[in-house]
Amino acid sequence: MSAVFVGATRQHVGKSSSCLGIVNVMKKKFGKCGFIKPVGQRHVPVEGGLRVDKDVKLMKEYFGLEESYSVMSPLVLPRGYTKKFIDGKITEVEQRDKILSAFEAVKGANPFTVVEGTGHCAVGSVVRMNNAEVAKLLDLKMVLVVNGGIGSAFDELALNVAVCEAAGAELGGILVNKIQPSKFDSVVDYFGRAISERWGVPLVGCVPYGDMMDAATFMDFENIFGTKLSSGHEHKLRYSGDKSELS
């Protein structure tokens, strides 16, 4: 496997932080790793006035990735995009071609590529390019990130698996994030057995909850306030509550 699609059951479950971890590990293993977010909703300006998904900007700047912004973020959905698609001013074929050509460019230049989805699996359905449909288009297995827990987490997962099955996308595994430390062993055991019995997919990762992961980075503050740090640029990807290595 030279690429994986990382999706989620909803927003804010840690999909982007999971992608950061995977890219970091793969860069250490292979020397380089590609990243692409085929469909983006929350976009920010970069060089030349181009607007790209905010996670692409983070990945490119943090890891110093070689691919251009336009290749890493081939399709963004600004205000009014949905209406243009429904009106026929943007076609499904155009979208597919953009995503496919960008993915092939990134994949061809790297030994491993991380493809990040946007929101839950059905996001993008109105323009016929939801996460499951994109994974199917790229012929990639999906790893879904879910919130720590058992009952409610499984219910959310079931809804998203149904979207994947409808699109014909293949599940490769489940990553459970933000598990309360006191419930870690229980979640690993019961959730792992539940998904194996229901869908025959493995639990590929379990991450305990940590306060730092919910803290904003200084880059987040830059984006929120539309400004730039006056100093300490080397620390802009540090979490605001992290006092390590600072004196």
Side-chain angles (χ1 to χ4, degrees):
M1 182 172 65
S2 60
V4 65
F5 189 104
V6 181
T9 54
R10 59 183 172 93
Q11 283 186 312
H12 310 307
V13 298
K15 172 171 50 61
S16 295
S17 58
S18 298
C19 287
L20 275 166
I22 296 171
V23 171
N24 187 48
V25 169
M26 291 304 175
K27 275 181 65 67
K28 290 178 179 178
K29 181 176 182 179
F30 296 115
K32 61 186 302 190
C33 178
F35 176 84
I36 178 174
K37 191 162 183 179
V39 180
Q41 288 184 299
R42 296 185 178 183
H43 44 87
V44 294
V46 292
E47 56 196 31
L50 179 68
R51 298 193 71 87
V52 301
D53 186 89
K54 64 181 182 61
D55 293 323
V56 166
K57 183 175 187 292
L58 169 64
M59 291 288 186
K60 183 170 176 61
E61 293 188 6
Y62 185 77
F63 291 111
L65 302 182
E66 299 174 359
E67 283 71 40
S68 66
Y69 281 114
S70 59
V71 169
M72 295 172 65
S73 183
L75 187 65
V76 292
L77 310 181
R79 185 182 298 275
Y81 188 97
T82 298
K83 291 181 179 178
K84 289 181 179 179
F85 180 86
I86 295 172
D87 286 336
K89 296 177 181 178
I90 300 169
T91 68
E92 186 177 350
V93 172
E94 291 175 43
Q95 295 179 146
R96 291 169 60 92
D97 288 347
K98 278 186 178 181
I99 292 172
L100 278 170
S101 61
F103 173 67
E104 290 301 328
V106 176
K107 183 182 177 184
N110 295 278
F112 192 86
T113 299
V114 176
V115 182
E116 182 180 354
T118 181
H120 57 75
C121 287
V123 169
S125 294
V126 70
V127 297
R128 299 180 184 178
M129 205 55 65
N130 68 36
N131 290 285
E133 290 167 332
V134 173
K136 175 64 175 178
L137 172 67
L138 302 180
D139 193 25
L140 296 178
K141 289 185 177 181
M142 298 183 76
V143 170
L144 295 184
V145 182
V146 305
N147 238 7
I150 299 176
S152 60
F154 189 92
D155 294 344
E156 287 183 356
L157 179 59
L159 288 171
N160 284 268
V161 170
V163 175
C164 295
E165 291 175 340
E170 183 180 358
L171 278 181
I174 307 300
L175 191 157
V176 185
N177 195 31
K178 300 182 181 179
I179 305 174
Q180 291 296 332
S182 62
K183 299 179 180 179
F184 190 87
D185 291 339
S186 177
V187 170
V188 172
D189 177 22
Y190 284 95
F191 200 85
R193 283 191 282 153
I195 62 172
S196 178
E197 292 171 5
R198 180 66 64 89
W199 298 295
V201 296
L203 200 56
V204 297
C206 294
V207 183
Y209 176 80
D211 291 334
M212 188 183 75
M213 296 307 293
D214 280 340
T217 64
F218 292 105
M219 177 186 281
D220 291 327
F221 289 125
E222 283 186 328
N223 293 331
I224 290 171
F225 297 112
T227 186
K228 296 292 182 182
L229 288 172
S230 59
S231 62
H233 300 286
E234 68 275 17
H235 298 301
K236 70 177 181 177
L237 293 174
R238 187 184 297 277
Y239 290 99
S240 56
D242 182 12
K243 298 179 181 179
S244 62
E245 300 180 13
L246 294 180
S247 57

